[in-house]
Amino acid sequence: MKALLIAESRDGKLLASSYEPYAFARQLGAEVVTFLVGSAADLPQIDGPLYLAEAARCGDYNPAMHKALLLQVVAKERPDLVVFSHSSYGWDLAPRLALALKAAQVSEVVGFADGAFVVPACNAKLRRTVKSQTPLTVVTLQAGAFSPAELPTGTPQVTGLSVEADSRLEFLGYEAAEKGGVDLTRAEVIVSAGRGIGKRENVEIIARLAKALGGELGASRPVVDAGWVEHSRQVGTTGQTVAPRLYLACGISGAIQHLAGMKRAGFIVAINKDKDAPIGEVADVLVVADALQLASTLEGKLAS
Ligand SMILES: Cc1cc2nc3c(=O)[nH]c(=O)nc-3n(C[C@H](O)[C@H](O)[C@H](O)COP(=O)(O)OP(=O)(O)OC[C@H]3O[C@@H](n4cnc5c(N)ncnc54)[C@H](O)[C@@H]3O)c2cc1C
């Protein structure tokens, strides 16, 4: 099997997420070819062919041009898989490419088993396995689902690419998200509230425990989306990536996007009513209990 891996760069700097398609291809035992619109000054350290188009000439993002560049590489390399990250770049470009190639597209892949892709369904409560019916398949990988244990240290053999493509789009640039709120990356202790806490009023119980432990309050995305906690406290792929000494997850199931933001914590304690909650796979200690009851008892003990 041959996989064409799509690396990404921003402002001439390679994004670390570029190694996730690589980790996925390694898991499949695939031969790899890499594609990057970026800068020769910052290339992925992956052995094998690398097709490079200079972003200075093609634009950091230009769908028509980048698709035309990719079509050239696909025609030459004839991969079985084209692998994107499920980033703003990947989710825009992958379907354009799949349509041009009349290839099946599978989005947000989190696993691969017996020739089938595993993807989340129903807000990640269920998983589906899907098989592609086309010889070439375009996939996007959910962020954090495939992180390499160690970064590769290879040297690519670079082939330059260029293209003339009509485009009615002009790339204006990226806008930095507004900074502010809490910097959880510096916290030694984080106590996070998940949907399992039930309602906004219960956030206070978790926040009090965080304070009693000398730490900060964190939250999973549904808690933030519901407006119970501000976004700067969200942990996960679309929140902050944290590495405290102690991470206490209260009523959090352990979805991949949440784990990606906290699995490097020194010690993880999860409180969950469900003994089979996936967070148990990364937790050092899983306490099967009502998170609110345990949090207020603990806080009471610490305060006395
Ligand atoms: C593109 C994308 C990006 C995302 N980014 C993020 C992100 O950055 N961060 C993030 O967190 N999520 C993110 N998500 C959402 C993610 O997929 C999950 O939906 C989310 O993490 C689930 O949050 P949760 O664990 O709080 O809720 P649920 O999955 O609903 O889990 C609630 C848990 O609480 C337990 N529970 C219920 N009652 C109690 C109780 N009384 N005591 C103890 N336990 C109880 C349940 O058993 C369950 O395990 C993203 C999703 C997508 C598609």
Side-chain angles (χ1 to χ4, degrees):
M1 181 185 287
K2 193 192 255 191
L4 172 57
L5 314 180
I6 313 304
E8 287 182 44
S9 79
R10 185 156 301 177
D11 298 329
K13 293 242 176 306
L14 186 77
L15 299 187
S17 58
S18 297
Y19 290 109
E20 296 189 6
Y22 170 78
F24 173 70
R26 282 292 300 267
Q27 198 168 310
L28 267 57
E31 180 191 344
V32 300
V33 177
T34 310
F35 170 88
L36 172 70
V37 179
S39 158
D42 198 2
L43 298 176
Q45 297 181 319
I46 298 175
D47 281 328
L50 168 80
Y51 290 89
L52 173 71
E54 287 286 343
R57 294 182 56 191
C58 303
D60 257 17
Y61 191 49
N62 181 319
M65 272 202 194
H66 292 205
K67 185 181 78 178
L69 289 164
L70 269 170
L71 287 172
Q72 281 181 32
V73 180
V74 169
K76 191 153 174 222
E77 292 290 340
R78 305 198 161 277
D80 305 287
L81 281 177
V82 183
V83 189
F84 289 86
S85 297
H86 195 75
S87 57
S88 55
Y89 185 81
W91 75 53
D92 191 88
L93 191 52
R96 295 174 191 269
L97 184 73
L99 185 66
L101 293 166
K102 297 195 169 28
Q105 189 196 318
V106 186
S107 296
E108 289 194 76
V109 170
V110 296
F112 185 81
D114 303 327
F117 300 98
V118 182
V119 295
C122 301
N123 206 11
K125 292 274 179 265
L126 300 175
R127 288 187 169 190
R128 285 183 293 139
T129 48
V130 291
K131 275 197 173 167
S132 170
Q133 303 288 337
T134 55
L136 187 152
T137 308
V138 177
V139 301
T140 68
L141 306 180
Q142 206 171 79
F146 301 92
S147 302
E150 281 176 21
L151 291 183
T153 53
T155 310
Q157 294 103 52
V158 180
T159 303
L161 286 175
S162 60
V163 74
E164 296 296 325
D166 283 340
S167 174
R168 285 183 289 169
L169 288 179
E170 184 192 352
F171 175 74
L172 296 179
Y174 292 102
E175 205 167 293
E178 230 174 78
K179 286 245 181 316
V182 189
D183 183 4
L184 288 184
T185 60
R186 291 169 187 272
E188 297 262 296
V189 175
I190 297 175
V191 183
S192 281
R195 183 153 40 197
I197 67 159
K199 55 182 177 181
R200 180 197 290 265
E201 291 69 27
N202 292 336
V203 171
E204 190 49 35
I205 298 171
I206 309 300
R208 276 207 305 268
L209 176 59
K211 195 163 174 217
L213 287 166
E216 289 287 353
L217 173 72
S220 68
R221 181 165 161 172
V223 170
V224 171
D225 286 351
W228 302 350
V229 170
E230 71 263 28
H231 181 259
S232 65
R233 293 187 184 273
Q234 183 179 317
V235 173
T237 51
T238 43
Q240 298 199 47
T241 300
V242 298
R245 284 200 296 141
L246 172 66
Y247 189 86
L248 188 50
C250 304
I252 293 179
S253 60
I256 280 165
Q257 297 90 350
H258 190 82
L259 300 187
M262 46 62 80
K263 65 185 174 194
R264 286 184 194 86
F267 198 81
I268 300 171
V269 179
I271 311 173
N272 201 300
K273 283 214 290 207
D274 177 4
K275 69 175 175 38
D276 297 319
I279 196 145
E281 288 165 27
V282 299
D284 295 286
V285 175
L286 171 66
V287 185
V288 182
D290 182 304
L292 297 166
Q293 231 174 33
L294 189 58
S296 39
T297 308
L298 274 176
E299 192 260 323
K301 294 264 179 217
L302 287 163
S304 63

